[in-house]
Amino acid sequence: MASNPDLEKKLRPIYDAMEVGNYKEGVQLCNKALKRQPDLHIVKALKALAFERSGKMNEALALCEEIQWAKPTDEATLRTLSMVLRSAGKYEPMIKLYENASKVNPKNENLANQWFMSLARTLDFKGQQQVALQLHKNFKRDNYMFWAIMSITLQGQNVPAGQPNVFYSLAERMMAKQNTEGKVQTIEELQLYLIILLGQKDRHADALALLEGEIGIKTKATENVELRHLRIELLIKTGRWKDARDATALILKENSDDWRTILQYLETIFLPIQDADLKDSENLKEARAFTAEQVKNETKNPKRGPFLAQIELEHRVQEKIGDNKTSVLELLVSYFGKFGSKTCCFEDLSSYISKLDKEDAKEFCKRLRETYGEKSDTVKEISMQINLARFERFIGNFSHLNSTETNALVNRFWKLYEEALPVGKDLEETERQYGDDYVIMAAHLLIDLHKDTKSYFPLLNATFMLEHALSASKHNYQMKLVLIRVYELLGAYNCAIGIYNTMAIKNVQHDTMSHFITDRATTFGLFNEALTLLYGAHDIYHSNEAETPEMILQAYKYSTFSKMQEFIEFQSRLENSLQKMIADREMIRLEFLKEDSVSRAITWLQELEIGNLKYDDQFSKSRIDNRDTSVMLNWNPKSSSSVELLTRAAPQPDRVWMTLFTVIPRILKHMAHLTPVNVEYEELLSTLSTLATSAPSSPENSPAVNELTAEEIRLAKILVPVTKAFQTLYTAIVAQNSNSPAKEEPTKTAAAVKDFLTSAATLLKREGAIKSTGVIPWQTFHSLTTTVETVAYLNVTNQCLLNLIATKANKKATFKGVNAVIQDFMAQCRHALQAVQTDITALRNVVKPDRIKSGLLYEICDGSAFDFVRSPNHQKLIEDKTLKIGASWMNSLVNLQQEAIARVI
Amino acid sequence: MNIREATLDDMIPMQNCNLHNLPENYQMKYYFYHSLTWPQLSYVAEDEKGRIIGYVLAKLEEDPAAEPHGHITSLSVMRTYRRLGVAEKLMTQSQNAMRDVFNCKFVSLHVRKSNRAALQLYRDTLKFTVQDIEKKYYADGTGYLELWELECVQDVKNKEDEMQ
């Protein structure tokens, strides 16, 4: 608020209107005030803010530009301006404005502070350093010196490893001086000092000296969990084995569960001696005695730490010198005896089990089965039985089963699940039923069966069981994830979306989890639904842009130096997220497909911004993959693929996929503008050609050898000759126009274009109609949608070829032959769409509700091998869900058919 | 299991730890704010493979009128790792820091009355006492959920008590 009382009186009503969100009135009041005083910057800035808040960004930015020219220096105007520009993601202008204001008012500390902060928003470390030093000089506060040191350190982090780092040396000298003057006082300042030392080679001893020295004591550094851990790390690195061992032992006596300290303890045992001397060493004796003692101390409610420490110790001995298999196996068996009823037991032991010999692994499970039998009456027994089943699955007991064996096992797990239900009848709605994992394991077995037999019936049965179990455990996201994947394999996108929306995915999960629902979302022909999901998830990136820089500023304000790097890294992780780009390309596909007339599609392409449409190596490599693929439960043996991999409808999109769907819109945009063929066009064409010649993955390859599907490669293959046709025609027209001696005979041009378009047309023809087996899986939709998408692109390229002749050729009649060739090709495109329509019409007949009931549903239920399906209690659910799947197919087909019809030209 | 200070990078797995439905929907900046302002108070628990299995997000209550005290904003343990004392350890770690760094005398938290499991943990295991009960509203997308919420408090143990 301005300090001048007159002005304040003027501004008060404006602020009041804005505060209650009445931006329209805000604008009116500003206009009124500006009529009397047209140059009142603060009022202009407030008007800009009112525009921005009411979504009129262009008007807001135009006003901002006006104000910028006038170089205002009052804080209120600058603050308001900064708010508007920030929400538009424009940070640069404020740097200049604050610099100017600060130079005009050198005594104003706040303005200088804002100047520093405006640089920090753009991560301009060098600029920060200079301003921080100036702040320190003018205002003499110690924290400004630390800002300067931090800014120098951050510059040092950008120096490639291995090169001399002048920034760290400088930062260290400045820090040492602060320290001598007694100005390093807080734990955060100490942390900054440590960052500088440890950022340099071989400075462990110095860092340790600091931690153990005066400041370490003054700031109670070793009471801080992290610094205590760091100290031990440094003791190990500097070879002070005894000190390190004593320190870890002390911690472990207090908290025997502290795993990272257990690992440090073991380092002090193993690192100082050669493997050859290990067997009879004092160290090993000491470690065995220590862990045994720790185990002995665990009596009532034992902690897992000491027992895991023993396993880890003996496991390492086995890895290093062998001859220790029996002790490891015995420890594993006895661990299960103690903790077998804890749900985490599988996680605790699986990495050790995976390293056992096959026979030992079998022996492990056999012994557990002998000891614990099948008893599962109590919560603990159920949990133990589930752990046992997980291990049996994990060592391969349930692999390579035939249908009969799988069906029997699925029935067994379903029975166990149902028997566990009464035990959990009083559980709260937010909890899970105790036997839920049986259902998930049954689903895993059915997924195996689907993979082996290619039949979709196992997947349908899996959805029924999961849906049924979900009604007793509403929030079991593990069931939901399997369901989403299975519905996608079944081509039932509406069903997958329905489940996804109940997961309440939020914040950063949009970056890590949304791939489950947005990967190749175009496939299902439900463009609006797909776009809603994609835009919803994309918000996280906007909030990252807007919010994270402010947090970095806060870190300076609070002098939280230890968090500075974390914030900068976090910002970069989201900013450079691979998922963000993959989603962006998917949105471009969908937005393009929403323009169903060729002329609108061309306009859309002309308006498409290509700033973000990068695909070069450096850009691809610097994408960061934050997608979470490990979240799905998986007990599959190490030798087979994970459930997450097995349930992918197609290879996971990655950089290659991103490149394909970057190159396509860029080529189309080039054509839409009728831009002359240039180096950039050649590069796009060459990239597309490389992608077109890559070998497709078959669903059997896992992991996939190529992240593109056969359909996507075909799309690239079709677009290559079309891209070349544009090039040939453009060159011919230019030569004709200039009457150059190199000009071709028009018939030759027509023949060349014809060759290109004919090879595209050949690829466009799909072999045979799509046959329906009652289920319309992902693959069928993928094939249909890709054809529609391909023709949508070809409609544009054909129109561009025609436009080329119509607007660029001096004598249009010369290219009559080419014109005819293009018309021919357009007819081929129509045929391709007609084939799609015929297929869709046939499929629509199969998925009508009455046909589903008499067809698919009958097949599912008639003589089913599954007790679940045979039970009269489940008939209603099975019918409901089958009809829902059918409705989703119908929805996709109807939409896709409309899209196809709209593109027949 | 490890208990260590939460870092920004943990936010991603921390959120996945929270995949089950909760009416509370903290914005990213709320996590940021905690991590920045009181980095010593928020901790994560990791399993032996370094995966996040639980976390506590805590802050200093900035009420100048009251005694210095801490507030537990969010405590979460992954289902697979329940009943192993993870929550208790996270709380102890955070409370120790409240005491040592900020000189807190007590710690408070809010819990929904309907959340029996949480209530049991706080009241029976961690010895919190119910101080107050009030009606709270949460936006859940379709409208507002009306919930009774309890305010629970517990004195922060001083060092001597802890030794015994």
Side-chain angles (χ1 to χ4, degrees):
Chain A
M1 176 65 63
S3 51
N4 171 339
D6 267 358
L7 186 60
E8 196 169 320
K9 219 171 117 192
K10 250 181 240 162
L11 296 181
R12 176 51 57 200
I14 303 178
Y15 281 117
D16 287 347
M18 304 276 280
E19 211 153 274
V20 295
N22 197 343
Y23 304 120
K24 212 168 156 192
E25 195 194 333
V27 172
Q28 284 164 355
L29 289 169
C30 288
N31 284 339
K32 227 163 87 188
L34 286 169
K35 222 173 234 169
R36 269 170 278 145
Q37 251 179 303
D39 289 330
L40 211 48
H41 301 315
I42 177 66
V43 178
K44 268 192 196 170
L46 284 169
K47 188 175 159 189
L49 186 64
F51 276 140
E52 182 265 321
R53 290 286 144 91
S54 42
K56 295 176 181 158
M57 193 51 107
N58 289 336
E59 283 94 330
L61 288 177
L63 266 177
C64 286
E65 198 135 321
E66 239 177 75
I67 308 168
Q68 273 164 249
W69 283 106
K71 295 191 183 164
T73 56
D74 68 289
E75 287 179 44
T77 304
L78 290 170
R79 202 169 44 238
T80 313
L81 201 56
S82 168
M83 280 161 77
V84 181
L85 289 169
R86 234 158 49 206
S87 77
K90 292 185 188 294
Y91 297 112
E92 301 290 337
M94 289 317 295
I95 300 176
K96 284 264 164 297
L97 288 173
Y98 275 121
E99 177 178 3
N100 174 63
S102 178
K103 282 182 175 156
V104 173
N105 305 294
K107 293 240 164 66
N108 186 327
E109 187 170 354
N110 188 33
L111 279 174
N113 252 296
Q114 289 303 328
W115 182 15
F116 176 87
M117 294 302 178
S118 66
L119 288 157
R121 276 196 189 96
T122 59
L123 304 181
D124 179 348
F125 305 141
K126 189 164 185 228
Q128 282 171 224
Q129 174 194 343
Q130 286 157 351
V131 177
L133 286 171
Q134 210 167 313
L135 269 163
H136 183 248
K137 199 172 124 205
N138 293 345
F139 306 103
K140 309 277 181 257
R141 289 187 211 276
D142 288 336
N143 62 327
Y144 295 140
M145 182 51 80
F146 290 114
W147 287 10
I149 298 174
M150 185 79 228
S151 305
I152 296 168
T153 310
L154 288 168
Q155 289 174 74
Q157 284 173 354
N158 292 337
V159 176
Q163 283 178 24
N165 199 322
V166 289
F167 297 107
Y168 278 132
S169 331
L170 175 61
E172 187 184 342
R173 276 204 305 280
M174 289 166 77
M175 203 67 187
K177 185 158 174 278
Q178 294 294 101
N179 196 18
T180 336
E181 292 168 7
K183 286 175 180 162
V184 178
Q185 285 172 338
T186 69
I187 205 151
E188 285 294 334
E189 289 155 5
L190 169 65
Q191 297 253 29
L192 177 55
Y193 206 160
L194 289 167
I195 292 170
I196 296 166
L197 289 174
L198 294 170
Q200 304 174 77
K201 229 181 142 198
D202 298 329
R203 301 299 297 275
H204 301 132
D206 297 309
L208 191 55
L210 202 62
L211 265 178
E212 292 181 330
E214 203 185 321
I215 341 163
I217 295 161
K218 203 163 63 185
T219 56
K220 298 189 200 156
T222 45
E223 282 182 25
N224 175 301
V225 206
E226 292 316 298
L227 292 178
R228 188 178 68 179
H229 181 73
L230 177 66
R231 178 174 165 257
I232 299 173
E233 191 98 8
L234 293 170
L235 287 172
I236 292 171
K237 288 218 162 98
T238 49
R240 282 167 59 186
W241 307 117
K242 170 125 187 24
D243 290 341
R245 198 174 309 159
D246 291 350
T248 50
L250 195 69
I251 294 172
L252 290 174
K253 273 176 197 146
E254 239 177 68
N255 176 8
S256 58
D257 232 1
D258 193 352
W259 183 248
R260 61 177 176 171
T261 306
I262 292 173
L263 293 180
Q264 284 180 325
Y265 175 83
L266 292 178
E267 293 208 328
T268 71
I269 298 297
F270 288 107
L271 283 179
I273 45 167
Q274 301 287 328
D275 290 354
D277 306 327
L278 183 62
K279 201 170 178 193
D280 304 308
S281 65
E282 280 306 309
N283 275 13
L284 186 55
K285 260 182 234 157
E286 187 183 329
R288 282 181 167 147
F290 178 73
T291 48
E293 178 69 25
Q294 290 280 99
V295 161
K296 219 176 80 194
N297 290 338
E298 298 295 337
T299 46
K300 205 176 147 229
N301 286 332
K303 298 206 177 68
R304 297 174 302 143
F307 300 91
L308 285 171
Q310 261 188 334
I311 297 174
E312 179 69 26
L313 172 69
E314 298 306 334
H315 166 71
R316 286 197 193 189
V317 172
Q318 164 66 19
E319 298 266 285
K320 283 177 187 296
I321 52 177
D323 196 24
N324 203 26
K325 277 166 54 178
T326 331
S327 7
V328 176
L329 186 61
E330 289 308 320
L331 286 171
L332 291 172
V333 171
S334 93
Y335 187 89
F336 190 93
K338 280 223 153 43
F339 300 103
S341 66
K342 300 282 183 194
T343 33
C344 61
C345 184
F346 176 81
E347 302 294 327
D348 290 344
L349 299 188
S350 58
S351 66
Y352 300 109
I353 303 289
S354 73
K355 285 179 189 124
L356 294 179
D357 297 345
K358 219 173 164 187
E359 292 73 46
D360 285 348
K362 294 250 178 218
E363 174 69 19
F364 172 75
C365 283
K366 205 178 125 217
R367 281 179 57 184
L368 298 187
R369 214 15 111 193
E370 281 165 10
T371 317
Y372 303 103
E374 309 272 340
K375 209 165 149 32
S376 60
D377 298 329
T378 63
V379 175
K380 279 191 168 179
E381 282 163 357
I382 294 167
S383 177
M384 195 175 243
Q385 286 296 323
I386 289 182
N387 272 328
L388 201 49
R390 289 181 183 130
F391 283 119
E392 285 170 337
R393 168 75 167 163
F394 187 62
I395 65 159
N397 279 5
F398 308 151
S399 300
H400 314 295
L401 305 181
N402 61 31
S403 304
T404 321
E405 290 164 332
T406 303
N407 298 347
L409 205 50
V410 168
N411 283 339
R412 192 183 116 204
F413 286 147
W414 185 261
K415 186 163 167 268
L416 289 167
Y417 166 75
E418 286 200 316
E419 285 170 359
L421 281 175
V423 184
K425 65 180 190 311
D426 292 330
L427 280 171
E428 291 201 40
E429 201 191 74
T430 48
E431 293 298 312
R432 292 174 187 179
Q433 291 300 325
Y434 298 112
D436 276 5
D437 282 1
Y438 280 130
V439 184
I440 293 178
M441 193 165 314
H444 291 177
L445 291 167
L446 290 167
I447 289 162
D448 284 354
L449 191 60
H450 159 71
K451 285 277 155 190
D452 289 344
T453 60
K454 306 279 172 287
S455 162
Y456 284 91
F457 284 88
L459 295 185
L460 285 164
N461 285 314
T463 62
F464 304 143
M465 291 185 191
L466 287 165
E467 287 275 12
H468 181 83
L470 200 54
S471 60
S473 298
K474 286 198 176 65
H475 300 294
N476 190 330
Y477 67 87
Q478 288 293 354
M479 289 187 183
K480 294 181 184 183
L481 289 172
V482 183
L483 265 173
I484 290 170
R485 278 292 176 84
V486 173
Y487 277 133
E488 285 171 348
L489 287 167
L490 286 168
Y493 198 43
N494 287 129
C495 300
I497 295 176
I499 298 287
Y500 184 81
N501 285 342
T502 67
M503 289 183 63
I505 293 296
K506 48 188 169 273
N507 302 333
V508 82
Q509 289 165 351
H510 284 305
D511 188 41
T512 58
M513 300 293 289
S514 62
H515 66 96
F516 276 102
I517 200 79
T518 62
D519 277 358
R520 291 188 176 88
T522 308
T523 293
F524 303 94
L526 298 170
F527 302 157
N528 285 323
E529 285 87 337
L531 273 172
T532 306
L533 289 163
L534 281 156
Y535 280 120
H538 231 61
D539 261 355
I540 179 68
Y541 305 113
H542 301 305
S543 41
N544 177 48
E545 275 166 35
E547 287 165 17
T548 319
E550 299 314 302
M551 288 299 148
I552 296 173
L553 307 196
Q554 294 294 320
Y556 283 104
K557 267 187 207 149
Y558 289 101
S559 293
T560 321
F561 300 114
S562 62
K563 295 282 153 188
M564 206 84 72
Q565 288 159 289
E566 286 177 23
F567 274 105
I568 293 170
E569 272 163 33
F570 183 83
Q571 186 185 16
S572 152
R573 266 185 86 170
L574 280 188
E575 171 118 24
N576 299 312
S577 157
L578 177 64
Q579 171 63 21
K580 180 184 175 191
M581 281 302 113
I582 288 174
D584 178 75
R585 303 308 185 249
E586 195 72 47
M587 291 195 274
I588 288 177
R589 289 173 80 186
L590 286 159
E591 290 286 3
F592 172 82
L593 285 169
K594 280 186 70 185
E595 303 294 341
D596 56 8
S597 92
V598 180
S599 60
R600 275 203 303 274
I602 289 180
T603 314
W604 184 85
L605 283 163
Q606 285 167 341
E607 284 166 4
L608 175 67
E609 291 192 21
I610 59 163
N612 231 341
L613 276 174
K614 294 181 191 152
Y615 65 97
D616 58 280
D617 260 9
Q618 218 243 316
F619 179 77
S620 287
K621 275 190 198 128
S622 55
R623 294 310 92 195
I624 302 166
D625 193 353
N626 300 324
R627 293 173 294 183
D628 194 334
T629 51
S630 66
V631 61
M632 280 180 93
L633 280 178
N634 181 50
W635 310 296
N636 288 1
K638 274 262 158 67
S639 57
S640 80
S641 300
S642 67
V643 175
E644 193 280 321
L645 258 159
L646 289 172
T647 52
R648 286 180 189 174
Q652 189 180 39
D654 209 291
R655 275 105 176 148
V656 175
W657 186 94
M658 184 184 84
T659 306
L660 177 63
F661 287 100
T662 306
V663 171
I664 292 175
R666 285 195 55 174
I667 291 175
L668 293 173
K669 184 177 169 67
H670 189 109
M671 292 188 190
H673 284 291
L674 302 181
T675 314
V677 172
N678 52 15
V679 182
E680 189 192 297
Y681 192 80
E682 304 262 358
E683 272 169 21
L684 290 166
L685 173 59
S686 132
T687 307
L688 186 66
S689 306
T690 314
L691 294 171
T693 48
S694 57
S697 273
S698 67
E700 284 73 50
N701 302 127
S702 93
V705 291
N706 188 333
E707 65 195 67
L708 299 179
T709 64
E711 281 75 9
E712 286 158 353
I713 293 174
R714 192 172 60 160
L715 167 63
K717 276 199 167 112
I718 291 172
L719 290 178
V720 167
V722 173
T723 308
K724 285 181 182 162
F726 182 86
Q727 189 179 31
T728 304
L729 184 59
Y730 211 110
T731 319
I733 290 176
V734 171
Q736 283 286 349
N737 286 353
S738 61
N739 210 5
S740 115
K743 73 174 182 187
E744 274 180 348
E745 273 298 305
T747 50
K748 222 177 142 192
T749 311
V753 173
K754 188 177 178 180
D755 278 351
F756 287 132
L757 297 187
T758 309
S759 71
T762 315
L763 286 162
L764 192 57
K765 233 179 253 155
R766 276 182 305 119
E767 288 147 30
I770 287 174
K771 275 179 279 180
S772 164
T773 53
V775 169
I776 312 181
W778 187 90
Q779 186 56 43
T780 303
F781 284 110
H782 186 54
S783 167
L784 293 169
T785 310
T786 316
T787 306
V788 175
E789 185 184 10
T790 309
V791 175
Y793 295 144
L794 294 176
N795 282 344
V796 166
T797 59
N798 287 334
Q799 188 59 49
C800 292
L801 289 171
L802 294 173
N803 289 352
L804 203 52
I805 301 172
T807 59
K808 299 279 170 179
N810 289 347
K811 277 186 263 165
K812 298 175 200 5
T814 319
F815 296 99
K816 244 166 78 187
V818 181
N819 234 320
V821 167
I822 299 167
Q823 298 292 348
D824 258 5
F825 183 53
M826 287 169 74
Q828 311 261 21
C829 292
R830 277 198 296 277
H831 290 318
L833 285 179
Q834 276 150 9
V836 167
Q837 280 196 67
T838 317
D839 282 345
I840 293 180
T841 310
L843 292 172
R844 280 181 62 168
N845 269 325
V846 183
V847 302
K848 282 181 187 151
D850 52 331
R851 288 287 300 274
I852 293 264
K853 277 192 192 171
S854 64
L856 183 60
L857 188 60
Y858 179 78
E859 278 188 70
I860 290 169
C861 298
D862 184 40
S864 173
F866 297 103
D867 297 341
F868 175 88
V869 179
R870 281 204 304 270
S871 156
N873 297 339
H874 303 141
Q875 295 313 306
K876 171 129 182 34
L877 173 117
I878 292 172
E879 183 176 329
D880 280 357
K881 296 299 167 193
T882 312
L883 287 173
K884 273 218 168 107
I885 293 170
S888 175
W889 287 331
M890 186 60 102
N891 201 7
S892 286
L893 291 171
V894 169
N895 275 298
L896 205 47
Q897 194 160 36
Q898 278 166 4
E899 297 297 336
I901 292 169
R903 285 180 174 81
V904 177
I905 50 168
Chain B
M1 179 181 63
N2 294 325
I3 306 281
R4 59 166 178 76
E5 230 174 73
T7 73
L8 254 283
D9 230 26
D10 293 329
M11 213 178 88
I12 292 174
M14 261 160 80
Q15 294 253 328
N16 284 355
C17 188
N18 250 349
L19 262 173
H20 46 262
N21 253 350
L22 292 172
E24 297 92 343
N25 190 351
Y26 297 123
Q27 296 292 316
M28 260 200 336
K29 56 183 165 198
Y30 203 55
Y31 285 91
F32 287 171
Y33 183 55
H34 280 76
S35 169
L36 253 177
T37 322
W38 311 280
Q40 308 88 340
L41 298 186
S42 292
Y43 291 86
V44 295
E46 292 177 324
D47 71 0
E48 284 65 27
K49 293 167 188 161
R51 287 181 308 203
I52 306 289
I53 55 170
Y55 68 84
V56 59
L57 203 63
K59 63 177 191 170
L60 199 64
E61 206 55 276
E62 289 158 317
D63 178 4
E67 256 187 312
H69 69 284
H71 182 82
I72 302 294
T73 306
S74 180
L75 174 72
S76 172
V77 175
M78 245 171 115
R79 217 160 285 270
T80 325
Y81 290 86
R82 300 241 167 117
R83 304 195 165 274
L84 294 165
V86 180
E88 203 176 345
K89 279 218 185 84
L90 284 164
M91 292 284 272
T92 312
Q93 197 62 257
S94 178
Q95 289 186 25
N96 286 351
M98 286 175 188
R99 175 194 65 210
D100 297 344
V101 185
F102 299 107
N103 204 19
C104 290
K105 301 292 182 234
F106 68 96
V107 54
S108 68
L109 56 83
H110 291 125
V111 57
R112 283 195 308 281
K113 199 181 165 191
S114 58
N115 191 348
R116 274 187 299 163
L119 200 56
Q120 200 179 0
L121 169 78
Y122 295 132
R123 209 173 39 195
D124 304 343
T125 315
L126 301 172
K127 310 291 175 214
F128 274 77
T129 49
V130 177
Q131 175 107 345
D132 199 5
I133 174 159
E134 57 179 321
K135 219 177 210 173
K136 279 267 169 107
Y137 299 93
Y138 293 94
D140 76 337
T142 50
Y144 280 91
L145 281 177
E146 194 185 286
L147 297 162
W148 287 101
E149 203 172 79
L150 308 177
E151 185 178 351
C152 302
V153 294
Q154 180 196 40
D155 290 336
V156 170
K157 278 185 245 170
N158 57 37
K159 270 197 177 158
E160 292 75 53
D161 292 346
E162 205 193 344
M163 294 299 168
Q164 296 154 11

